[in-house]
């Protein structure tokens, strides 16, 4: 009976090569791999040619898909090579970790015990401190040392709390390395031959486990107990040559086994939950520790290169860098590549290394190919060192119905999932692009953010700009949303209706409608419109009504492009604007500066929405409200000024009437702060009016000149805020006009002594210049 324990790092070309060579040498009759036993049933798929790493086993609870875990594999993962060896040689291969059915349930118990413990500590803290505030109780519950002493409560560490540290870091420090990752890569991953490497790793880990403080980790004890149980089971089944592939840290615990009864007692009566598993595509980006993956590595792309080209002296790698640069239209010659390879090998020799590693290659690349520009190294980091490779799984692998429908739609609409960004400009006048847009909007409603939409440019509504990037974690979202339906249309409609029912906010439901209209879900749209109508009828808050109008107007614009009936939306908009016109003047009176600024922003957006609609039945009531608010002394000055500006834009207040309104608001009798606020409202959105109307310019100029130094200091912040909103060209033109001494004079009455006879003699001359012949009656 022989049991071979192979302690490995979960992802590394050196470890993977060592495992492969070891198995080919000892030729075991069964292979046990650290992993979830629930996935034993799908291990046979790993030998399919259309299952291409990187891939991952996804274990999840069907009743709660958010409770899930991934087991990623790359070609250079030792576990993957062990599985491939077993399947190729037709010997049994099994996972031996603690079943996820128990793992999930135990973790839930741990969370509940922690929660109960925190609540007890909070209660004890309140009693000890005479009922202090909850925040102080929270400090105690979190184990803050100062809080514990202050409250008189001693908090013991929970027996299940993990004490985390890095065992490999101790070995690296002993070897003179500051970085454990670099030490491990140098010792194991870059070496092509490692005789007795597993014995050395086993000996080192045994010493660490004996020397370091014992960790209080209940879950790890359960995991190692189940691993031992699986090994014993293989022995009972009369397997005589057993290969065990596990994390290096666990190897000593599987050598010196305790009594079988101790493990059985530890594993007895563990809670369970229902778990399912499947294969999903994975990416090298998600395999890196930059993604937050606990067992992640820093350079998946580089490890892939080491696996495929273990004897490369740097030439292949540098050729890949040069190819990348040329694809980005950056000139790179063969001489650059040769010189960079020579430099990297020279650096390796100076550092007494057997071969150039990634650090040496990066330094040579920076010096030779990047000409010392570190920003170009970011491109290499993303494209080569980490890489954006996406794996593949067979199309006939068992999947949830919603995922099958999504994949079917992706194929039909020619929207392949990729690990890298891919941009699409959709023309909604084309049938295929319209269907693509509908599909992407439905996924957004479901919270599957595969696509990110941006403005396509132009004034029309028939184009959309999308950027797509697939994330393997979307598998969890798809499984979770599968409870709402078997297709994207069904799931999105049911999900939206439920969201609307749970929300009692007019703004939230209106925003949901804006997101639902482009997804073409008629049933859900009807439900949302009815709810908006009911909420609007019951709402007496004019601000809330104004906030939702721009969104609803934007929704109505999709009517022609998407062949959607927008009449129902427009009907709600009409009724809501009518309510707003009735209540707005009162809402703008007796408000402080902050509330007035908020109302000003809302009225600005509301006016834009009214202009978009171009409907006289809406425009006329809106203009009437502006005529009420503009001269009203009780309305906030900034809003009254903006109302006056809008009346001027609508040509309802012009020439002398506009100047009189401006004079009245900016007169010396008005408080400087009030006059400045009125001018801020009048000039909101654009300062062009001051440039083209010399009369208004002089009114403002005269008003500023008559301000006392104290009043000028008082209104200066308001003036700065007003002019800061102007565009840069407007500011420049205004500055030039001030520098030039202004723009003319205000209209004045004719001076006394005007001689009509002299003026009459000049008329024929002017007419002759203009080429006109007119007769005038005698005076």
């Amino acid at each position: 009976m022989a049991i071979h324990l192979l302690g490995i790092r979960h992802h590394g070309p050196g470890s993977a090569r060592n495992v492969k060579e070891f198995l080919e040498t000892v030729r075991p009759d069964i292979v046990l791999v650290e992993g979830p036993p629930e996935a034993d049933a799908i291990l046979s798929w790993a030998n399919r040619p259309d299952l291409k790493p990187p891939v991952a086993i996804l274990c999840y609870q069907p009743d709660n898909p958010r409770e899930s875990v991934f087991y990623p594999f790359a070609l250079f993962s030792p576990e993957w090579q062990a599985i491939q060896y077993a399947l190729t040689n037709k010997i049994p291969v099994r996972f031996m970790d603690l079943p996820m059915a128990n793992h999930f349930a135990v973790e839930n118990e741990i969370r509940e015990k922690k929660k109960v413990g925190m609540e007890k500590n909070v209660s004890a803290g309140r009693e000890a401190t005479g009922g202090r505030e909850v925040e102080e109780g929270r400090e105690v519950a979190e184990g803050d040392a100062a809080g514990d002493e202050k409250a008189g409560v001693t908090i013991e560490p929970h027996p299940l709390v993990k004490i985390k540290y890095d065992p490999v870091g101790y070995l690296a420090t002993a070897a003179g390395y500051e970085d454990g990752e670099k030490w491990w890569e140098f010792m194991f991953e870059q070496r092509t031959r490692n005789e007795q490497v597993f014995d050395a790793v086993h000996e080192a880990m045994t010493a660490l486990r004996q020397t370091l403080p014992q960790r209080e980790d209940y879950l790890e004890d359960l995991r190692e107990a189940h691993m031992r149980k699986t090994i014993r089971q293989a022995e009972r089944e009369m397997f005589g040559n057993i290969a065990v592939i596990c994390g290096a840290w666990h190897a000593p615990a599987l050598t010196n086994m305790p009594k079988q009864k101790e493990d059985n007692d530890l594993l007895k009566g563990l809670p369970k939950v229902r778990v399912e598993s499947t294969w999903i595509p994975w990416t090298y980006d998600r395999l890196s520790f930059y993604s937050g993956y606990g067992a992640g590595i820093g350079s998946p792309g580089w490890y892939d290169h080491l696996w495929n080209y273990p004897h490369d002296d740097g030439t292949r790698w540098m050729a890949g860098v040069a190819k990348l640069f040329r694809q980005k239209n950056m000139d790179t010659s063969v001489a650059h590549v040769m010189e960079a390879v020579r430099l990297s090998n020279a650096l390796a020799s100076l550092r007494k290394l057997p071969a150039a590693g990634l650090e040496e290659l990066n330094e040579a690349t920076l010096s030779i190919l990047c000409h010392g520009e570190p920003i170009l190294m970011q491109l290499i980091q993303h494209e080569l060192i980490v890489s954006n490779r996406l794996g593949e799984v067979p199309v006939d692998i068992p999947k949830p119905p919603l995922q099958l429908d999504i994949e079917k739609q992706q194929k039909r609409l020619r929207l392949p999932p990729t690990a890298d960004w891919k941009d699409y400009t959709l023309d909604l006048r084309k049938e295929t692009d319209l269907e693509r847009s509908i599909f992407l909007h439905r996924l957004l409603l479901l919270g599957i953010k595969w696509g990110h939409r941006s403005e396509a440019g132009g004034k029309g509504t028939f184009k959309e700009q999308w950027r797509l990037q697939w994330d393997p974690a979307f598998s969890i979202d798809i499984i979770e949303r599968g409870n709402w339906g078997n297709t994207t249309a069904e799931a999105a409609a049911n999900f939206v209706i439920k969201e609307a029912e749970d929300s009692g906010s007019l703004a939230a439901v209106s925003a949901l409608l804006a997101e639902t209209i482009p997804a073409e879900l008629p049933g859900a749209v009807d439900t949302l419109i009815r709810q908006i109508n009911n909420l609007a009828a019951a709402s007496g808050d004019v601000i809330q009504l104004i906030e939702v109008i721009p969104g609803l107007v934007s929704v109505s614009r999709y009517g022609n492009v998407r062949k959607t009936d927008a009449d129902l939306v427009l009907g709600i908009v009409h009724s809501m604007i009518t309510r707003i016109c009735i209540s707005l003047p009162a809402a703008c009176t007796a408000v402080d500066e902050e509330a007035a600024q908020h109302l000003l922003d809302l009225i600005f957006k509301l006016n834009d929405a009214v202009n978009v609609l171009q409907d006289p039945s809406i425009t006329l009531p809106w203009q009437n409200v502006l005529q009420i608010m503009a001269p009203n002394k009780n309305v906030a000055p900034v809003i009254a000024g903006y109302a006056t500006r809008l009346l001027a834009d609508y040509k309802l207040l012009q020439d002398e009437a506009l100047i009189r309104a401006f004079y009245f608001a900016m007169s010396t009798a008005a408080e400087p702060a009030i006059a400045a606020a009125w001018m801020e409202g009048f000039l909101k959105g654009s300062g062009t009016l001051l440039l083209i109307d010399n009369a208004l310019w002089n009114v403002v100029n005269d008003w500023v000149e008559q301000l006392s130094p104290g009043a000028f200091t008082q209104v200066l912040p308001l003036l700065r805020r007003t002019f800061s909103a102007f565009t840069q060209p407007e500011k420049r033109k205004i500055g030039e006009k001030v520098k030039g001494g202004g723009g003319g004079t205000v209209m004045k009455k004719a001076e006394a002594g005007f001689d009509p006879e002299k003026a009459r003699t000049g008329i024929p001359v002017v007419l002759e210049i203009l080429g006109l012949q007119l007769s005038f009656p005698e005076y």
Side-chain angles (χ1 to χ4, degrees), residues 570 573-574 577 581 610 613 615-623:
L570 288 175
V573 170
H574 278 233
I577 289 181
C581 290
V610 170
L613 291 174
D615 187 341
S617 64
I618 293 177
T619 304
L620 291 176
W622 174 238
Q623 292 174 350

Side-chain angles (χ1 to χ4, degrees), residues 410-703:
Q410 287 172 334
K411 185 176 181 180
R412 184 178 67 85
L413 298 172
R414 299 190 297 279
L415 292 173
T418 58
D420 204 3
W421 293 109
K422 191 167 183 180
D423 291 319
Y424 292 86
T425 300
L426 304 183
D427 187 340
L428 303 184
R429 297 168 296 185
K430 299 178 181 178
E431 185 175 350
T432 300
D433 282 358
L434 179 59
E435 291 183 4
R436 286 175 169 179
S437 173
I438 292 169
F439 174 59
L440 293 172
H441 278 288
R442 286 173 178 174
L443 291 181
L444 284 180
L445 285 173
L446 289 170
I448 303 170
K449 299 180 180 179
W450 176 31
H452 298 268
R453 186 184 167 194
S454 58
E455 293 297 328
K459 298 181 180 179
T461 60
F462 59 85
K463 281 193 177 182
E464 289 181 346
Q465 184 74 35
W466 290 86
R467 172 168 283 187
L468 308 186
Q469 184 182 36
W470 189 258
D471 187 336
F474 290 152
S475 301
I476 296 298
D477 300 322
I478 293 171
I479 293 170
E480 187 177 30
R481 297 298 187 262
N483 297 327
W484 298 102
N486 294 333
T487 66
T488 52
E490 179 186 3
N494 292 335
F495 184 73
V496 165
I497 291 173
K498 178 61 176 175
E499 286 285 301
E501 290 174 351
D502 293 343
S503 175
S505 166
L506 179 60
V509 178
S510 298
L512 195 56
L513 176 63
E515 297 169 359
T516 306
I517 287 282
E520 290 202 4
L521 302 170
V525 168
D526 290 343
T527 300
L528 292 173
I529 287 175
R530 285 196 300 271
Q531 186 161 356
I532 289 174
N533 201 21
N534 294 337
L535 291 171
S539 176
D541 186 354
V542 66
I543 294 179
Q544 189 180 41
L545 295 177
I546 297 175
E547 287 174 340
V548 302
I549 287 292
L552 292 177
V553 171
S554 178
V555 165
S556 69
R557 299 175 67 201
Y558 286 106
N560 295 329
V561 178
R562 296 183 175 272
K563 304 173 186 177
T564 304
D565 185 7
D567 290 342
L568 290 174
V569 178
L570 288 175
I572 295 175
V573 170
H574 278 233
S575 63
M576 291 174 67
I577 289 181
T578 300
R579 296 191 187 100
I580 291 171
C581 290
I582 294 172
S583 306
L584 186 58
C588 295
T589 59
V591 293
D592 60 21
E593 183 180 355
E594 183 178 353
Q597 285 293 332
H598 180 57
L599 274 169
L600 178 64
D601 292 336
L602 292 177
I603 294 172
F604 184 84
K605 295 176 182 177
L606 176 60
N607 183 70
D608 285 345
V610 170
N611 291 335
V612 167
L613 291 174
Q614 293 291 312
D615 187 341
S617 64
I618 293 177
T619 304
L620 291 176
W622 174 238
Q623 292 174 350
N624 291 335
V625 173
L626 296 176
Q627 289 176 329
I628 293 173
M629 294 194 300
N632 192 334
K633 295 181 180 179
N634 296 320
V635 170
V638 68
I639 296 175
Y642 184 57
T644 305
R645 167 63 179 270
L646 292 181
L647 290 175
D649 291 344
Y650 284 122
K651 308 299 183 184
L652 298 177
L653 195 64
Q654 301 184 70
D655 302 330
E656 293 191 19
L658 177 59
I659 294 174
R660 281 197 299 270
F662 216 102
Y663 261 126
F664 181 78
M666 308 296 291
S667 66
T668 56
E671 289 288 335
I674 294 176
W678 189 94
M679 186 174 67
E680 178 186 1
F682 185 86
L683 297 177
K684 182 174 178 61
S686 174
T688 305
L689 198 60
L690 281 180
L691 294 172
I692 62 177
D693 195 321
N694 288 329
L696 294 180
W697 171 274
N698 285 315
V699 173
V700 174
N701 187 60
D702 293 343
W703 174 75

Side-chain angles (χ1 to χ4, degrees), residues 208-221:
L208 284 174
R209 290 183 73 121
Q210 292 173 351
T211 304
L212 296 177
Q214 291 297 310
R215 299 193 300 174
E216 296 288 342
D217 195 330
Y218 177 55
L219 263 175
E220 187 162 302
D221 292 341

Side-chain angles (χ1 to χ4, degrees), residues 163-182:
I163 303 173
K164 294 186 178 181
Y165 51 88
D166 177 21
V168 175
Y170 290 92
L171 297 176
T173 302
Y177 282 76
E178 295 181 359
D179 188 346
E181 290 287 326
K182 287 184 179 179

Side-chain angles (χ1 to χ4, degrees), residues 3 122 161 260 329 432 541 544 610 612 677 705:
I3 300 176
V122 170
V161 173
Q260 182 175 343
N329 298 320
T432 300
D541 186 354
Q544 189 180 41
V610 170
V612 167
E705 286 183 349

